[in-house]
Amino acid sequence: MKKNTKTAGRRNFIRNSAGLIAGFGMLPMFAESKTYLPPENVNIIGPLEGFSPQIGTFVSMLHWMRNSVVNAVKGLTTEELDFQIDAQSNSIGALLLHLAATEVVYQDLTFYSLKDFSAENKKKWEVAMNLGEEGRKHIKGNGLDYYLARLKEVRDTSLTEFKKSNDKWLIEIDPSFFGNQPTNNYCKWFHVCEHEANHRGQITLIRKRLPGSKGGD
């Protein structure tokens, strides 16, 4: 009788990752199959080729969120990217660069075990990280391609480092991080993802307030 390779693959996956699943509560459905999907299948959340199973699953979430951000800014001109609702608000362009800066600092914190930006990254990204008056003064005059290129450049570094890491690294615990509480690498990177979702909402709001825009579009 021919062996059911799908069943065998499922058993091997469950055997190899059961401890990880129990440790940080991944949904049981991800133990059902060892199917790997290319990044362009953005609406399928699950393991990806080239990454350990749980990291790949998380990377697929990052892909989905980034796709949402890119769709939200399609077609914007430099003037629209620089637009501010009021004197204290951030522009869409500034928020895009802020997303890149946040990802960079978490690269330094998690991949390279630093306590903050590296000296080089601090000089390059501090304004985009902090925004405020300095951000309003310096982050402007750039086209959409500039911001998308910065986001891609930073994300490519993250993906390279994620490929070097594994699921054991993902659940490694820092004894004092968010609120001086124990925090694992998974939570740190989940924050990067939800942070992007938060600013995606702000971007949508600002776009609806652009001069000439119909608020319900």
Side-chain angles (χ1 to χ4, degrees), residues 110-191:
T110 62
F111 297 135
Y112 313 129
S113 300
L114 302 180
K115 297 299 183 183
D116 198 346
F117 280 120
S118 68
E120 180 182 356
N121 282 333
K122 190 175 183 67
K123 182 178 179 180
K124 182 177 180 180
W125 294 103
E126 187 173 29
V127 170
M129 188 69 201
N130 295 332
L131 294 178
E133 197 56 45
E134 287 299 299
R136 286 185 282 274
K137 185 187 302 182
H138 296 290
I139 306 174
K140 57 186 177 181
N142 304 303
L144 182 58
D145 286 347
Y146 169 83
Y147 295 110
L148 296 182
R150 299 293 77 72
L151 285 165
K152 183 181 184 303
E153 167 191 305
V154 170
R155 179 56 52 85
D156 285 348
T157 297
S158 295
L159 296 180
T160 296
E161 295 300 327
F162 275 129
K163 286 179 179 179
K164 297 176 185 177
S165 305
N166 57 36
D167 292 344
K168 183 178 179 181
W169 169 86
L170 194 63
I171 59 171
E172 283 181 2
I173 296 174
D174 180 338
S176 180
F177 196 74
F178 289 131
N180 295 320
Q181 297 295 311
T183 308
N184 62 15
N185 286 326
Y186 206 151
C187 184
K188 293 177 185 181
W189 276 94
F190 176 75
H191 170 65

Side-chain angles (χ1 to χ4, degrees), residues 58-86:
F58 176 69
V59 166
S60 72
M61 298 178 197
L62 289 176
H63 286 324
W64 194 96
M65 194 63 251
R66 177 56 53 80
N67 185 66
S68 178
V69 169
V70 171
N71 284 336
V73 299
K74 276 184 178 177
L76 292 179
T77 65
T78 299
E79 291 73 22
E80 290 169 331
L81 290 164
D82 288 348
F83 173 77
Q84 295 171 220
I85 292 176
D86 57 48

Side-chain angles (χ1 to χ4, degrees), residues 3 5-18 31 34:
K3 187 175 180 179
T5 56
K6 183 177 180 181
T7 300
R10 182 189 305 143
R11 287 172 179 166
N12 287 336
F13 183 82
I14 292 172
R15 184 184 307 115
N16 293 334
S17 61
K34 206 173 181 179

